[in-house]
Amino acid sequence: MDKVCLNSEAVPVAPAVGMEFDSYDDVYYFYNWYAKEQGFGVRVTNTWYRKTKERYRAKLSCSSAGFKKRTEANRPRPETRTGCPAMIKFRLMDSTRWRIIEVELDHNHLINPTSGKFYKSHKHIPLGTKRTFHLDDDHDHHHHLDAAAAQQVHKITMFRTVIVDAQDEGESQNALYSNQLKLNKGDSQAILNFFSHQQLADPHFFYVVDVNERGCLRNLFWADAKSRVAYTYFGDVVAIDTACLTAEFQVPLVLFLGINHHKQSILFGCGLLAGDTIESYTWLFRAWLTCILGRPPQVIITNQCGILQTVVADVFPRSTHCLCLFNIMQKIPEKLGVCIDYEATNAALSRAVYSSLMAEEFEATWEDMMKSNETRDNKWLQSLYEDRKRWAPVYLKEIFLAGMLPIQPSDVASFFFDGYLNEQTSLKEFLEKYDQILQTKRQLEALADLDSKSSSFEPKSRSYFVLQVSKLYTNEILRMFEREVEGMFSCFNSRQINADGPVVTYIVQEQVEVEGNQRDARDYKVCYNEAEMEVLCICGLFNFRGYLCRHALFILSQNGIKEIPAQYILSRWRKDMKRSNVDDHNGGGIHISNPVHRYDHLYRQVVKVVEEGKKSHDHYRTAVHALENILSKLHLVNVEDPNIMYKY
């Protein structure tokens, strides 16, 4: 170990896995001193104690880590934390020295060296004090931050290069390595090739790698620029698909998914996990939160899983957590198939889920279903009932779900990589065709854009409502909305039952299908406020799918309204919304005085040259000759602005 003297005038050394210290206080002093130089505060997030009350493990985080708990106070303080993932973990080794075992350097918020003196933790740093720390030889020369780099610590790192140290088949199958990815021969090289290619082709490609204490690959996360841009438009509701992990695919894949303006599934990011544990999911979710710059979705949908519920509540405390209804209903044959009265139980459960308009109806149907001994003692049904407010549609009407929760038995959900990934697909094979898969998916979106903008879809109805939205909605949303307009003809009667100021309540009767292909009249309560142009139906379709239902349209029509109020035309379904290009992801355009902007812009231009230059031998020679000329000219430039010499 080499000794490095650190004092108030020294160049800061970034924390790295393997650094060792004489005491807990030395670790805190070192990280706090580093934080002050960078421009962020430090707080102790976790401390682990033995039964002897001796500390043996700890975690220090950026002061912006996590989120404050919600308060019911009349004037709560504004949120100042961002869920920042920057931190170090360290532990006591052989009861003598403290070693850093995990590091995350990237922040999801701006930091500035000039603001360091304002943090509470820095008040405890004695200026001028000198301490000597032992640093690993291998890390020392990699982690000095020179004076030029210190000028740019305010930049949020969008991607980074990491050396992946993973075991190939054989050794990785040993129980000793259960906290690392199980990789087959060639997988680790495939990962390196994949990340290298993605980073070269896409300057805004984001990825994070997690290694265990032995330095072996444990978890991965990545997202390309188009996925990150898509999240800014369609990230209100996100589904986290863990099917590959729980079904024991060779590729332990976790997907972050959304719905675009054509009702197509879109990708916001991918992860590979060593296992479905609290630690792995916490790491993955925090990595994704960093990728989306600390802006969590309004709603997160996952499978029913105690671990996921714990981690979502911890990492996304401000998001509403719902459970995937499609996944729950798929499990009925497996969980209830052995019941003697399976058919009756299945029918009762479907009625409770899909036909209940009020919570009282759901509760009554559920109670009838649970009268038999078999269902009363069924643990799965008991857990479903306890979680009912997270998955049963009757309890979710106040939450906007963008069509991602099925509210009819005919609503189905398909796997994003269906047809490309199954239990036998290797990781190497999946990564090699990953680009092609995403390109195919995005071509479908581009074709749908073109189809919608060319107005090739001819509405069946000549309703005022359909004519209005045909100029606004994409074709797929227009088709779905037109079914509601057609459904207005099933609404054969309405009556006013109450008037409370400007709000008038109606009962709309509709002929609906019931069991045995029979039709019956059903009452729907609709509230209408003419002054505010607001309409609310008990069926909750607007929040479930993002457009007005037939019952609300029926009342608007009866009151002489010929256009849908503006608040019910959602921008996420529009075909005329202008969306930013990938190059605008960091926003604002190019500021020539900013070294970061100069670097990013030049990087993108050079990548274009590389892509053209590799096409043929002549292209290559021309590109090399042009680059040599550019370098010769740059060497002749008289550099007066020190910022231009910024070192990367």
Side-chain angles (χ1 to χ4, degrees):
M1 298 284 183
D2 286 346
K3 292 184 177 181
V4 177
C5 182
L6 300 180
N7 57 52
S8 59
E9 297 179 354
V11 175
V13 179
V17 173
M19 285 184 174
E20 291 191 355
F21 301 82
D22 290 329
S23 68
Y24 173 96
D25 290 338
D26 280 350
V27 185
Y28 182 89
Y29 175 89
F30 164 76
Y31 191 59
N32 196 29
W33 178 82
Y34 165 78
K36 183 176 186 296
E37 296 296 320
Q38 298 295 298
F40 66 95
V42 170
R43 60 189 178 90
V44 180
T45 311
N46 292 102
T47 306
W48 288 264
Y49 293 87
R50 295 193 174 102
K51 291 182 179 180
T52 59
K53 297 185 179 180
E54 177 191 22
R55 284 183 298 207
Y56 72 92
R57 186 182 174 107
K59 177 182 176 182
L60 303 178
S61 300
C62 170
S63 57
S64 294
F67 296 98
K68 294 178 180 177
K69 292 183 178 179
R70 291 180 177 176
T71 175
E72 299 299 327
N74 292 331
R75 301 179 69 179
R77 293 182 180 180
E79 178 65 74
T80 56
R81 298 183 189 174
T82 64
C84 181
M87 61 85 201
I88 63 170
K89 288 182 182 177
F90 53 103
R91 67 175 299 159
L92 190 61
M93 309 299 294
D94 302 324
S95 300
T96 56
R97 299 180 60 76
W98 290 83
R99 178 183 298 171
I100 294 179
I101 59 174
E102 189 174 343
V103 174
E104 176 57 65
L105 296 178
D106 298 342
H107 299 259
N108 64 4
H109 57 96
L110 299 179
I111 58 176
N112 192 326
T114 61
S115 65
K117 61 185 178 182
F118 298 111
Y119 291 101
K120 187 184 298 184
S121 66
H122 302 153
K123 294 179 182 179
H124 304 297
I125 300 180
L127 294 177
T129 299
K130 293 185 179 181
R131 291 195 181 194
T132 301
F133 298 121
H134 296 277
L135 302 179
D136 193 317
D137 292 337
D138 293 335
H139 294 287
D140 185 20
H141 68 281
H142 288 300
H143 293 283
H144 280 82
L145 302 180
D146 57 27
Q151 298 173 10
Q152 287 302 326
V153 295
H154 65 274
K155 181 184 180 184
I156 300 174
T157 303
M158 293 303 168
F159 53 88
R160 59 181 180 158
T161 302
V162 182
I163 297 176
V164 180
D165 182 9
Q167 303 293 326
D168 280 338
E169 63 180 341
E171 189 177 14
S172 67
Q173 303 301 318
N174 194 300
L176 180 63
Y177 307 107
S178 59
N179 70 334
Q180 69 186 62
L181 279 176
K182 295 177 176 61
L183 301 177
N184 295 318
K185 188 173 183 179
D187 283 351
S188 55
Q189 187 61 48
I191 292 171
L192 278 172
N193 294 343
F194 175 72
F195 284 153
S196 298
H197 168 75
Q198 295 293 335
Q199 197 172 22
L200 177 63
D202 178 3
H204 300 301
F205 179 77
F206 180 102
Y207 71 94
V208 190
V209 173
D210 175 38
V211 296
N212 63 19
E213 294 179 20
R214 298 181 62 255
C216 297
L217 189 62
R218 180 164 52 191
N219 303 308
L220 292 173
F221 170 80
W222 72 88
D224 67 6
K226 289 184 178 179
S227 291
R228 302 176 70 198
V229 171
Y231 177 81
T232 64
Y233 294 103
F234 305 111
D236 44 6
V237 184
V238 173
I240 302 177
D241 187 345
T242 57
C244 291
L245 195 62
T246 54
E248 297 184 353
F249 279 48
Q250 286 195 49
V251 182
L253 189 66
V254 177
L255 304 175
F256 297 85
L257 302 169
I259 289 288
N260 69 7
H261 51 315
H262 302 293
K263 283 283 291 177
Q264 297 169 335
S265 188
I266 51 173
L267 188 64
F268 296 142
C270 295
L272 297 176
L273 297 189
D276 54 343
T277 63
I278 287 180
E279 292 76 17
S280 289
Y281 281 129
T282 299
W283 180 90
L284 178 66
F285 292 175
R286 286 178 177 167
W288 181 60
L289 188 61
T290 302
C291 174
I292 57 177
L293 306 181
R295 296 190 291 263
Q298 298 170 22
V299 177
I300 292 176
I301 303 173
T302 71
N303 290 343
Q304 186 190 26
C305 169
I307 292 176
L308 284 173
Q309 288 181 224
T310 298
V311 178
V312 169
D314 178 41
V315 182
F316 305 108
R318 294 179 293 177
S319 301
T320 299
H321 184 196
C322 298
L323 305 180
C324 179
L325 177 58
F326 179 75
N327 177 261
I328 288 172
M329 301 307 284
Q330 270 191 321
K331 289 182 178 179
I332 293 177
E334 172 194 347
K335 301 293 185 179
L336 304 178
V338 296
C339 295
I340 297 174
D341 54 351
Y342 169 72
E343 295 297 334
T345 302
N346 185 23
L349 184 54
S350 295
R351 278 198 309 275
V353 171
Y354 297 118
S355 299
S356 298
L357 289 177
M358 294 183 292
E360 293 80 4
E361 292 179 66
F362 179 90
E363 299 284 348
T365 306
W366 191 277
E367 188 176 344
D368 287 341
M369 181 182 69
M370 300 296 285
K371 285 180 179 178
S372 75
N373 291 331
E374 281 190 306
T375 53
R376 190 185 306 117
D377 297 331
N378 188 286
K379 297 269 196 261
W380 183 67
L381 285 176
Q382 291 173 9
S383 68
L384 274 189
Y385 184 74
E386 290 170 2
D387 287 332
R388 64 193 181 283
K389 294 184 179 179
R390 294 184 185 272
W391 60 269
V394 71
Y395 295 103
L396 302 176
K397 294 177 184 177
E398 302 300 318
I399 303 167
F400 181 72
L401 293 162
M404 294 189 67
L405 188 89
I407 57 174
Q408 296 295 332
S410 57
D411 293 338
V412 296
S414 60
F415 179 49
F416 184 81
F417 287 112
D418 191 26
Y420 302 98
L421 178 64
N422 56 43
E423 290 90 337
Q424 286 74 44
T425 306
S426 69
L427 178 58
K428 181 175 181 292
E429 182 185 354
F430 172 69
L431 293 178
E432 287 174 348
K433 60 185 180 183
Y434 178 85
D435 278 342
Q436 178 187 350
I437 300 169
L438 251 59
Q439 185 177 359
T440 300
K441 297 276 186 181
R442 287 166 178 165
Q443 283 177 347
L444 292 176
E445 180 176 344
L447 289 172
D449 276 337
L450 184 63
D451 190 39
S452 292
K453 290 175 181 177
S454 67
S455 301
S456 60
F457 176 66
E458 288 293 333
K460 300 176 185 176
S461 172
R462 306 308 296 173
S463 159
Y464 291 113
F465 298 138
V466 172
L467 291 175
Q468 176 192 2
V469 299
S470 65
K471 302 173 185 176
L472 306 173
Y473 284 160
T474 60
N475 286 355
E476 182 58 30
I477 302 302
L478 181 57
R479 288 187 184 96
M480 298 171 67
F481 176 75
E482 195 172 30
R483 294 190 198 113
E484 292 305 308
V485 173
E486 292 171 357
M488 289 171 61
F489 295 104
S490 300
C491 301
F492 61 90
N493 186 28
S494 70
R495 67 181 188 276
Q496 179 179 326
I497 61 170
N498 186 35
D500 183 9
V503 179
V504 180
T505 303
Y506 297 88
I507 292 293
V508 175
Q509 285 189 306
E510 182 194 2
Q511 289 282 356
V512 297
E513 287 188 8
V514 293
E515 295 178 12
N517 295 323
Q518 301 295 315
R519 297 187 69 84
D520 193 11
R522 183 133 203 222
D523 292 346
Y524 294 85
K525 185 161 65 175
V526 180
C527 297
Y528 174 57
N529 184 335
E530 184 177 8
E532 300 293 334
M533 291 301 291
E534 293 179 347
V535 61
L536 178 67
C537 179
I538 196 172
C539 76
L541 186 76
F542 181 76
N543 274 340
F544 285 136
R545 291 185 173 169
Y547 48 83
L548 287 178
C549 65
R550 60 194 65 184
H551 319 110
L553 295 172
F554 188 76
I555 292 301
L556 288 178
S557 180
Q558 280 207 337
N559 281 272
I561 306 300
K562 296 182 178 180
E563 283 199 346
I564 298 170
Q567 66 265 37
Y568 300 111
I569 305 289
L570 301 185
S571 59
R572 72 168 350 271
W573 304 137
R574 294 179 69 115
K575 61 184 176 183
D576 58 353
M577 176 189 283
K578 293 184 178 178
R579 295 181 169 84
S580 300
N581 295 322
V582 172
D583 287 349
D584 298 328
H585 177 68
N586 283 337
I590 301 300
H591 297 288
I592 219 110
S593 61
N594 188 321
V596 175
H597 286 216
R598 293 200 298 265
Y599 173 84
D600 287 344
H601 183 64
L602 287 171
Y603 187 99
R604 290 193 292 271
Q605 300 307 312
V606 171
V607 167
K608 294 177 183 177
V609 174
V610 171
E611 291 298 319
E612 288 295 320
K614 72 179 184 180
K615 290 182 177 179
S616 70
H617 184 65
D618 289 339
H619 279 74
Y620 169 77
R621 287 192 302 177
T622 302
V624 170
H625 182 66
L627 289 173
E628 288 173 347
N629 285 339
I630 292 172
L631 283 173
S632 299
K633 291 179 181 179
L634 288 174
H635 290 152
L636 298 175
V637 174
N638 182 21
V639 179
E640 297 179 355
D641 183 358
N643 286 330
I644 295 178
M645 294 301 293
Y646 184 83
K647 182 180 178 182
Y648 285 87

